[in-house]
Every structure is written in structure tokens, then in C-alpha cells.
Amino acid sequence: MRLAFKIAKQFLKNNKGQTVLILLGITIGISVQIFIGSLIDGLQLSLVDKTIGSSSHITISPSGRDNFFEDKDDIYSMLRADTRFTQVSSSFDAAGFLLYDEETYSLLSRGFDFQDANGIYKFDERIIEGRLPNGEREVALGIGLVDELGLNIGDELDFIIPEIALENVTLVGVFDLRIASLNRSWMITEISSAQKLFQREGQISSIETQVENVFDADIIAEDLSMSLSNSLQVDNWKAQNEELLSGLTGQSASSYMIQVFVLLAVLLGISSVLAISVVQKSRQLGILKAMGIKNKTASQIFLFQGLILGIFGGILGTGLGIGLTYIFSVFVTNPDGTPLVPFYLDYGFVAFSVAIAIIAAMVAAFIPARKSSKLNPIEVIRNG
Amino acid sequence: MANVLELSKINKIYGEKIKTQVLFDVDLGFEESSFNSIIGASGSGKSTLMNIMGTLDKPTSGDVLIDGRSTKDMSANQLSAFRNETIGFIFQFHYLLPEFSVIDNILIPYEIKHGKVNAQALKRANDLIEIVGLTKVRKNKATDISGGQQQRAAIARALINSPRIILGDEPTGNLDSETTENVYNMLRDINNEFKSTFIVITHDKRIAEKADRIIEIKDGKISMDIRS
């Protein structure tokens, strides 16, 4: 082993041009792999974050025609204790109408415990005027409706609760959720206030959650629905965003294809250069064999060459790839100066790429190594 | 004295469809510590014979016995190890590894055998370098010394594992006559000192005459075998 390594090192050192060429090939290959991989990953993460970053990943709600349920089994606490979930928030949602200037506007009244709900909806950041409701009959409305009706903070509003009553509420805040339909149709309030308005104290309409690993949402949801009673249903974002998901899957597939072909090109490159090197070194190999080097050792020389090239190429490629990704995130920006694709690095993916570089170089060295093992010293000695 | 190397009924046929027989029933024995030369015209089969003796080539039929051990049924790995320990080669073209220094080249057979070099081996290599007169250039790359020096380095390399047998195939074939003389005198000195058995192919009659025994090969058969 030691001798094979020594000879491999010396062969590489003595053929500097060739060594640099192979190293360059591996470096570029691996850097492209890391660059493309990180770019697509970053793109997908930012896309997913924009899409579902401020919404529920898994929602538990009553099944069938019921709109409300009592959390008798304390599902809320159970989910809180489950490390797969990063956010858990109960809500009380019910439809009502805002009566203003003899016109009615249909609204979805959403009652939250804001301490929990901020984790998902970031209401604290989305309030652009006034404050979050925190007392009874205090509500916040979306910027769309507030502008349309010309409302002001402090306005007393009439809110019709179907089949119950006409109640009076106070506007204390204006929010902007950056989605026009929600800005037009949501009315948010403290959960207890909403429960009282709708005369359903102790009841909730859903438990909303966010999970650590968003792409496992369907599996977690499946798991969850097994442990819950039949009167509850579990929805997850993946089931509701199939088009986005198929887009992401397509993107991933094309990214993998690019990576595979880059890798293949690198593999062929290393393999052909090493194959030439066996021919170039056949004289040396012949004499080493005459001196008693074993076939296994002779093939190890080339496997070691592959290993050395793979390790160095992998390290250089990682550096270049990370550099490229960083430069892309710094210099390719949106008009507002934010990166077009945020800088994202998955260390696991980087380690995987380096491992691939080393394995590819070793695989590429396998054919030359076999050739070297089979070389008959007599051919070399007879032909001078 | 006992035979260190014995050839028994060696036949060598090349080719599959058109067969060319190069060696015919060759029987030969070489005594321990002797200095032998093999002469013959080109194409007489002497190099083939040498390659068979060195276990680099396999005879079509017959057996090569080294130290009384048959090599016929040895595996490739067994042969490699056996060759490494028992036989030193000196070829017409020195075949040093151009990537390594003189001393590293000389140590390679030792490293093949032991895996690594210890202080004792290093001392032996330096002693051999002194014997072949390369002390000044021992750290030079193998390509940065003259032809005569390269051949002498190859001789030191052949001796590093103290092999019982040293095979030389025209070891001075591409050296000038003065260097040839020096190299041969050196080989004889080594033969006297280390008691290795030398079998040397040469086309130079003057050199052949210095050996203890001259064997001539003609058309794949032994045509002359003289002991002095």
C-alpha cells in the first residue's frame, strides 16, 4: 500500500501538466455541481418560504359539516410537545358581515391567540397601523378593506353575526398580509373575543401548525390523522399545492440531470487521462513487475492516483462552487437589492459532492488500474 | 556444488496458428556462486531463455527449478514474491524509474518485499551505491545521470535484496567499451564478494571469455558449453 501510494504520488508529481488538467476537470465539475445544486436548493427554499412560510403546514379541523370542536383531548398540548412541529396555534374562524353605510361586506372573522399565531402569520410584523387586538370586541382589518371604506383606527363598526345578533366592534389595527384577497376579507381578533361574539366559548375551529421539515408535512399529517378521532380531519399544504410541488419536482429533476451529466463528463475525462497514463507508464510498470511488484499493488498505484486527484479536486471544487454561489447571491440581485436567489448551502450536499468526486475519481481509475494489473512485464522488456 | 537454478526440458513455442518454436528441450543447470555467460546470434532464443529463467515468461513445456523448487505451479503472486526475493535483473536498457532518485530506485525491490525502508536497508543501499561508485549522484533523479551511471544504479538495485541469482540481459549492450569493461569487472567483484550466481547474456566474446562458463545457444539449442 505504502509503496503504491509513493509511486502514485511520484507519478502525479512528475506529470504536472496532466495532473493539473485532471484536477481542473474535477474542480470545475464539482464546483458546477455544488453551484447548480445550491442555486436550485436556494431557489426552492425561497419559493417554498414565500408560498407557505406564513401559512399553516398542517391544519386540524372538524370533518364533515361541523365547523367547530372542543379540544377535549388537548391536541394542542400534544402537538406543542412534539418536536416535529415548530408552531402550533388554535384559531376560531367564523363568517360574518360588516355593515357599513347600509352595505354588507362578507368577512371571515379569525380569532387567534396572537402569541401563538405570530409564529405562523407574523401579524406583529404585518400590522402597519395601530396595534394587534387584545381585548374584547377589538378587531383588526386588512388594508384593502380599510382603504376601500375609508375607515380609521378607533372607528366603531357594526358586525353581523348570522342567526345571532348585530354586535359592535372597534377597529384597533390595520394589517397587510401582502395577499389582496386576505387583506379584503379577513377580520382578526383575540380568540376569546371571537368565541364570545359567536357564543361558542371553549370551542375552536382549527389547530394550525408549522413543521420543521416542510416536505415531510404529508407524512406527518398521515401519522397524525391515525392518532386523532374520526371527527377530525388533517390537511397538509402539500395536498393543497400540487402544482407548486410538481414545479419544484421538475426543477429538482432537471437539476439532478445536469449534475449527473456533469459528473459523467468528469468521470470520462479522468478515466481517459488515466488510461493514457497507464500506456505512458507501461515501461515503469513492466520493470516494477519484473522486480516482483504484485498485480494488486500495480493496480493500487492507479486507484491511489484516483483517490489523490478526487480528494484534491473535491476540495478545490467545493471552494470554487461555494465561491460561485456566494458571488451569484451578492451580485445577481432584485431591483430592491435583495439577492435574486438567497445564498444557501446545504453542508450535507457539499459533503455528498466531495464524496461523489472521490468515488468518481476512484471509479474512473478502476479501468486503468485493471489494465495496469493485467500488464505483462515481458511485453515491455521484450520491446525495450 | 549444488545447482541453484535448473532448467529441465524447456520448450518454448510462440504463436497460436503459425507456431514458431524458439527453444527445444533445453536442459541446463547453474552452480551456486558461479559466473556464467550465454552467447548467441540474435534470434537464437537466448533472451527468451533468460526471461524463462527469470520467471517473467512461462515455458510451453518443461520446468524451471530454483533452489530445487519447481516454479511450474506457482500463482502470479507467488511468482512475484519469489522473483523479488531470489532474482535480481539487470537489463540492457537500465529501466530505472525516471520519477525517482537513484537511491529511491535502488530501494524499490526492498520496499516491494518489506513494505517500508528501515535504517538498515538505507545503510545497505548506501553501501551498494558506494560499491558502484554513485555516492555523489545518489540523490539525483535517475534521468540526471549518465548512461554508465544508470546501468550501475540498475546493478545496485539488482543487489539490494541480496538475491541468490542475478540475471543480466546484455547489461552493457549500450555502453562504450571502456565503461563495459568497468561494469564487468564490477560484476565479477560482486560475484566474488557476495557469492551471487551470475547469468549474463552478451554478444561480446571478450566479455564472455571472462566468465567461468560459456554457453552458446544456436537455433534454440545449446551448441556449446565450456567451463574454464
Side-chain angles (χ1 to χ4, degrees), chain B residues 150-204:
Chain B
Q150 286 173 335
Q151 199 55 286
R152 279 185 278 156
I155 291 167
R157 182 181 63 185
L159 294 169
I160 187 80
N161 279 349
S162 313
R164 305 280 303 279
I165 303 160
I166 290 173
L167 299 177
D169 189 354
E170 303 259 14
T172 54
N174 60 347
L175 300 178
D176 61 61
S177 58
E178 197 189 323
T179 320
T180 299
E181 187 85 28
N182 285 341
V183 167
Y184 265 100
N185 289 338
M186 203 174 68
L187 291 179
R188 284 254 43 163
D189 290 345
I190 291 165
N191 170 241
N192 285 332
E193 196 179 331
F194 294 113
K195 303 291 173 210
S196 317
T197 307
F198 276 76
I199 304 165
V200 175
I201 289 182
T202 181
H203 62 270
D204 191 333

Side-chain angles (χ1 to χ4, degrees), chain A residues 11-224:
Chain A
F11 277 4
L12 287 174
K13 251 168 95 178
N14 264 266
N15 263 345
K16 289 209 178 72
Q18 229 171 49
T19 307
V20 167
L21 212 66
I22 308 186
L23 269 182
L24 208 68
I26 304 176
T27 302
I28 292 177
I30 295 307
S31 66
V32 167
Q33 201 195 354
I34 290 181
F35 178 58
I36 300 267
S38 300
L39 205 66
I40 299 286
D41 276 359
L43 194 69
Q44 299 203 337
L45 278 181
S46 93
L47 210 62
V48 168
D49 187 53
K50 277 174 193 158
T51 314
I52 57 160
S54 293
S55 63
S56 175
H57 297 168
I58 296 175
T59 308
I60 300 164
S61 54
S63 55
R65 296 175 127 206
D66 290 336
N67 286 325
F68 307 101
F69 68 103
E70 277 180 51
D71 189 9
K72 283 181 195 148
D73 302 329
D74 204 4
I75 301 166
Y76 174 84
S77 302
M78 181 188 88
L79 298 182
R80 276 261 156 212
D82 191 330
T83 51
R84 291 176 298 180
F85 295 91
T86 53
Q87 306 295 343
V88 182
S89 167
S90 303
S91 73
F92 180 92
D93 306 337
F97 300 95
L98 181 71
L99 184 64
Y100 191 80
D101 264 355
E102 294 178 8
E103 293 274 347
T104 54
Y105 300 88
S106 129
L107 285 180
L108 178 67
S109 160
R110 302 210 62 191
F112 296 106
D113 177 342
F114 286 106
Q115 223 165 5
D116 289 343
N118 280 340
I120 298 176
Y121 295 101
K122 300 171 188 75
F123 285 121
D124 45 353
E125 295 168 20
R126 299 281 155 83
I127 288 286
I128 53 170
E129 213 180 311
R131 57 174 171 81
L132 280 174
N134 61 12
E136 276 191 32
R137 294 174 191 274
E138 286 187 354
V139 298
L141 289 171
I143 176 89
L145 190 66
V146 168
D147 279 356
E148 189 186 328
L149 304 183
L151 302 175
N152 290 307
I153 300 285
D155 283 356
E156 302 271 319
L157 302 168
D158 291 328
F159 186 61
I160 302 168
I161 294 159
E163 295 165 29
I164 295 176
L166 177 77
E167 297 281 351
N168 193 254
V169 295
T170 312
L171 181 66
V172 297
V174 181
F175 59 80
D176 180 5
L177 294 176
R178 292 184 200 152
I179 299 169
S181 62
L182 302 187
N183 284 342
R184 173 79 183 66
S185 62
W186 275 20
M187 178 178 88
I188 61 169
T189 172
E190 257 293 326
I191 188 162
S192 55
S193 159
Q195 286 164 338
K196 268 187 192 161
L197 280 176
F198 286 86
Q199 296 178 5
R200 285 180 180 274
E201 272 144 301
Q203 295 191 344
I204 55 174
S205 55
S206 67
I207 298 175
E208 296 177 319
T209 66
Q210 287 197 337
V211 289
E212 176 79 43
N213 198 338
V214 292
F215 290 101
D216 284 347
D218 50 345
I219 301 163
I220 299 171
E222 178 85 8
D223 186 38
L224 198 60

Side-chain angles (χ1 to χ4, degrees), chain B residues 216-228:
Chain B
E216 189 181 36
I217 307 273
K218 204 172 177 183
D219 300 328
K221 292 172 186 138
I222 296 162
S223 63
M224 183 180 80
D225 191 348
I226 315 167
R227 288 165 209 252
S228 62

Side-chain angles (χ1 to χ4, degrees), chain B residues 5-17:
Chain B
L5 178 70
E6 237 179 282
L7 305 179
S8 126
K9 297 260 175 293
I10 297 287
N11 283 289
K12 181 70 183 176
I13 300 164
Y14 285 114
E16 294 279 317
K17 283 181 185 158

Side-chain angles (χ1 to χ4, degrees), chain A residues 350-361:
Chain A
V350 171
F352 172 76
S353 298
V354 174
I356 286 282
I358 294 168
I359 293 168

